[in-house]
Amino acid sequence: MPPNQTKDEGNDDQVFWAFSAMTAAELNFPDPSGDQPSWLSLAQAVFNLQANRWDDAACGGGLRWQIFPLNAGYDYKNTISTGGFFQLSARLARYTGNATYAQWAEKSFTWMKQSPLISSNWQVWDGTARGNNCTDADHTYWTYNVGTLLAGASFMYNYTNGSSVWQERVSGLLNGTDVFFVQSAGANNPPVNPPPNGQIMSEVSCEWPAKETCNADQPSFKAYLSRWMAISTQMAPFTTDIIMPRLQKSAAAAAAQCIGGQAGHSCGRRWYQTGWDGFTGVGEQMSALSVFQSNLIAKVNPPVTQIKGGTSKPNPSAGSGGDSGTTATNPIVTRVISTSDKAGAGILTALTLILVLGMTWWIIV
């Protein structure tokens, strides 16, 4: 965990760091030099940390949203945290061939399917609370929730050489993405909600005009669904005929939105709307770029594995020390206090004491 993130990083934040490291390993990006950990070992470290946080004490399993008890959301078990752990487990299983990772992927997916997070018709909801023993869910749709499960299931389909169980799960989750694909709403001013049952990706829970509530993070969510749908076509090729037309239509619609801003090429978020929608930001640009790049998936090789071209060095015990690390039981401690640290603290203490005494004398006199 990066030292500057130890106070507020959640399980979902952490697993996205692991996704980046895992992608570097799968694309055979050279490992860092010297004594720096490898890409694979970084992903394995996050897996071990999160497996250690698996919470059987309430709801029979799952990961909490937050890592530390003082953070809001500590008692919330959300899909992106448990689903992110599921996807990471599935990718590690495929890359290493280690059955332990596959067992955790099965365990985490089974828990989610038996919980309120995944409905009987494969709708994927945002999260559930420990307080009521996870008996119901927050029925909010987000593209990245179903996306992370779709990718993880596709990796497991590949790992199991086309298991019928995982084929059914992939198919169900792919059907669960239908709600996020709409038809063009045209050049309406004011804008209107788009018709359903189309092929243009939309973050339906926050970007429609009637409920424009997207925060700083949510405009980026379509980026992740785009990437994960694309990789699913490599891991589970039977999905290609459904996925690629959607990515193609979405990319064309997104490109038509990239005409905004002072320079005339900032991308908006309502891809279903003709003409720039007036929104721009990091999330909007990420989503547009990702859906463009996802259309190139057929031109690149599938992710490598340890036995098929992978060179990133493993360390299955990385992160096994848990959140407490080796320096103290407090996870916020990140290094041993040095002599210079102590000297600096002494100087600051002396200056503070002089300031206090001076102010006291001034008040008295």
Side-chain angles (χ1 to χ4, degrees):
M1 184 183 302
N4 66 340
Q5 297 293 317
T6 51
K7 291 184 179 180
D8 56 10
E9 186 170 81
N11 280 307
D12 55 341
D13 304 314
Q14 189 181 50
V15 84
F16 268 77
W17 286 101
F19 288 161
S20 296
M22 196 70 225
T23 297
E26 291 167 341
L27 297 181
N28 230 7
F29 198 75
D31 274 344
S33 59
D35 59 354
Q36 297 298 307
S38 69
W39 303 120
L40 179 58
S41 68
L42 287 170
Q44 290 173 310
V46 172
F47 168 85
N48 287 328
L49 287 167
Q50 297 200 344
N52 192 51
R53 296 181 199 131
W54 185 262
D55 179 27
D56 285 318
C59 311
L63 280 181
R64 298 170 184 261
W65 178 17
Q66 298 298 325
I67 297 171
F68 303 115
L70 295 180
N71 290 339
Y74 184 67
D75 287 330
Y76 191 58
K77 295 190 174 184
N78 61 346
T79 300
I80 195 58
S81 294
T82 304
F85 176 68
F86 159 67
Q87 186 193 129
L88 179 62
S89 302
R91 292 168 70 175
L92 284 168
R94 180 182 177 273
Y95 189 95
T96 67
N98 188 325
T100 298
Y101 297 126
Q103 290 163 5
W104 271 103
E106 177 65 46
K107 178 178 180 176
S108 53
F109 189 88
T110 298
W111 180 82
M112 286 186 288
K113 191 68 177 78
Q114 293 173 351
S115 79
L117 296 179
I118 305 175
S119 73
S120 58
N121 63 344
W122 297 97
Q123 299 301 308
V124 178
W125 308 119
D126 185 64
T128 185
R130 275 179 108 251
N132 61 9
N133 201 34
C134 303
T135 54
D136 57 20
D138 175 352
H139 289 180
T140 305
Y141 299 108
W142 297 112
T143 50
Y144 77 158
N145 282 331
V146 67
T148 192
L149 300 186
L150 175 63
S154 296
F155 273 92
M156 287 302 294
Y157 174 83
N158 188 277
Y159 169 78
T160 57
N161 295 313
S163 157
S164 59
V165 171
W166 284 106
Q167 181 172 355
E168 179 183 356
R169 291 169 173 174
V170 170
S171 297
L173 290 165
L174 186 54
N175 290 338
T177 67
D178 290 352
V179 67
F180 300 109
F181 288 89
V182 299
Q183 301 176 49
S184 172
N188 291 285
N189 191 17
V192 298
N193 289 346
N197 304 317
Q199 293 186 314
I200 300 173
M201 193 182 301
S202 173
E203 197 65 65
V204 299
S205 289
C206 78
E207 72 179 26
W208 287 10
K211 47 183 176 180
E212 182 55 63
T213 58
C214 293
N215 65 20
D217 296 332
Q218 291 154 3
S220 73
F221 289 177
K222 296 197 294 277
Y224 317 128
L225 178 58
S226 298
R227 298 175 200 170
W228 290 332
M229 290 183 79
I231 195 63
S232 294
T233 65
Q234 289 190 324
M235 296 295 97
F238 70 88
T239 64
T240 301
D241 290 345
I242 295 176
I243 288 176
M244 290 313 301
R246 290 181 170 183
L247 292 179
Q248 290 161 4
K249 292 287 188 181
S250 295
Q257 271 288 318
C258 295
I259 57 173
Q262 292 183 346
H265 51 64
S266 293
C267 301
R269 70 176 62 151
R270 295 175 184 156
W271 298 347
Y272 58 82
Q273 180 180 319
T274 303
W276 183 48
D277 60 8
F279 293 100
T280 186
V282 173
E284 285 84 357
Q285 314 318 307
M286 286 175 59
S287 290
L289 182 59
S290 290
V291 78
F292 299 155
Q293 291 178 324
S294 293
N295 278 274
L296 303 176
I297 190 67
K299 298 181 181 295
V300 298
N301 293 324
V304 301
T305 66
Q306 276 188 317
I307 61 173
K308 290 185 178 180
T311 58
S312 191
K313 296 179 175 60
N315 183 1
S317 63
S320 57
D323 291 318
S324 62
T326 58
T327 60
T329 57
N330 184 351
I332 295 179
V333 174
T334 58
R335 61 183 176 88
V336 176
I337 304 300
S338 67
T339 302
S340 60
D341 292 328
K342 294 177 182 178
I347 293 170
L348 289 174
T349 302
L351 290 173
T352 302
L353 182 59
I354 292 169
L355 178 62
V356 171
L357 290 174
M359 291 180 66
T360 303
W361 179 86
W362 180 80
I363 292 171
I364 293 173
V365 174

